[in-house]
Amino acid sequence: MTRESRLSEGELDTLNTLYHDDGAWTPDEARARLARLGLALELGVLTRVQTLIGPLYLLSPDGRDAVFGTRHDAQSLTRQQDRAYLRLCLEHYGWTFASAADPVATDLKGLAGQRLLHPVHTPEGLALVGAQMTSGGFRPLAIKNLGDRLRSSANHRNFRVILFTPKPELGQDMAQHYAAFMTLIPLVPTGVTTIRHRVPTRVQIVPKDATPGTVEAGPYATRPVLVSIMAAGNLPACTADILALPRAERIARFRADLRMDKVIAETQLQRHYGLTHDDLPGVAFVEAVLRPRKNSSTLEVQTRLYLATTGLANKNDSALMHLVGVGEMRRMLGVTDPAQWVVSTAARHRVEDPDAVWQRGWQTVAIEYDSGHYGETLVLRKLDSFKSRGMHETIWGVPSSQRAKRLMRETAGRLTSPPLVTRWWQDSVLPPW
């Protein structure tokens, strides 16, 4: 009996609704919709992710395989979460989506363009309603762009734009500029979330009284074993140096590296430090489901992301994953001196700004990580911009060998060395000791 055949047709239909209509479920919804929720979790057809409004369940790659017979061509993870947030906000107020057959609603939907706004019946009449929970909610610039685009139509046709956001203050000042037709409503519809300084947050803290996960106080592995693994090309030299240290020193190195990299994935914690979650009392983290390769939804990584500062949790998961990739490049390059490595955490990068700068002796090197989102034109613009800034060299990092080969073709020799293939999601190259 295959794993998929253990789910009934009715359960598969319910999971289909989850994916196409609901987006994600709260734990209460999951229990109500799936009588055999325990079996679904055992089979791995659902993925749990901690969000600003509490935990949500998404359909996993195994779930898509069970329901649709394929893991490919999946919807955006952030879009699924935001769809669930919108649905829960509407249920909170008792509002309903307008019928697709309603010509007025269809006309309003056309005004929204590609933005995720939907015609909704509200007490004030038909309105365009949107919701964003990921990235902390609607940013001021997004509100401005939306307001400028819809101001004329909203005033002329007398409809309102209503936006839901989980944070009470984010974007409110900007929304006031469009108060004649726009309302920004802060709402956590589930009522299940963590509040710090009166603001919802998905940040968690490793308990200070956590029992260390590693029992041995000495090195994670012996030097001869590490040398043999290095010789096979499976371990950066700086990682081997860390794994040969006593546990207390490995923890210290992790904390120092977290200050350099800004974000470290739990997979990297295990691979590069030989530590576990409970070895890090007091460290902030978020839970995330990540797709390391663009256009490849078959690989999803559920992991914790450890943060140098709690403010980094305001970034979306893709931006945090980007920083993880840059940190993996640093290890592959063997950079351990914080004075030589500066990472950018800017919300928006200008074309001429690399992800990190490596001061390699007298040479300044641009570091750029690319999960596949950069088109050929943008890659060439970046290379030209880095060169015009006086960068001696650009080192590119990618998550797959296919992307590396494509970049070498597109850049036609302008990259002086092949891109580094960073598989940061691999949690260990060592057997348990």
Side-chain angles (χ1 to χ4, degrees), residues 4 83 103 126 128 144 187-188 192 209 228 242 271 273 287 299 318 322 343 420:
E4 292 82 2
R83 186 193 307 148
L126 207 57
L128 276 179
K144 181 180 186 303
L187 180 64
V188 178
V192 181
D209 58 352
S228 66
I242 293 173
R271 175 181 172 86
Y273 304 91
E287 297 175 355
L299 174 64
S318 294
H322 206 84
V343 174
L420 299 176

Side-chain angles (χ1 to χ4, degrees), residues 262 315 323 326 342-349 353-357:
K262 311 307 179 187
K315 291 183 173 294
L323 291 169
V326 174
V342 179
V343 174
S344 172
T345 58
R348 288 179 176 268
H349 278 190
D353 292 334
D355 292 324
V357 174

Side-chain angles (χ1 to χ4, degrees), residues 142-217:
I143 294 172
K144 181 180 186 303
N145 291 338
L146 198 58
D148 290 344
R149 176 185 172 87
L150 295 175
R151 186 202 307 265
S152 177
S153 297
N155 290 332
H156 177 66
R157 304 191 186 200
N158 194 31
F159 66 84
R160 292 201 65 78
V161 176
I162 300 174
L163 306 176
F164 289 104
T165 180
K167 293 193 173 182
E169 297 179 1
L170 181 64
Q172 289 292 350
D173 289 343
M174 181 61 70
Q176 286 301 311
H177 293 288
Y178 306 95
F181 66 93
M182 179 185 289
T183 304
L184 182 63
I185 302 176
L187 180 64
V188 178
T190 59
V192 181
T193 189
T194 302
I195 304 293
R196 287 196 176 89
H197 308 295
R198 297 181 297 175
V199 176
T201 180
R202 61 178 180 148
V203 174
Q204 302 176 68
I205 306 294
V206 182
K208 292 185 179 295
D209 58 352
T211 302
T214 50
V215 178
E216 297 295 334

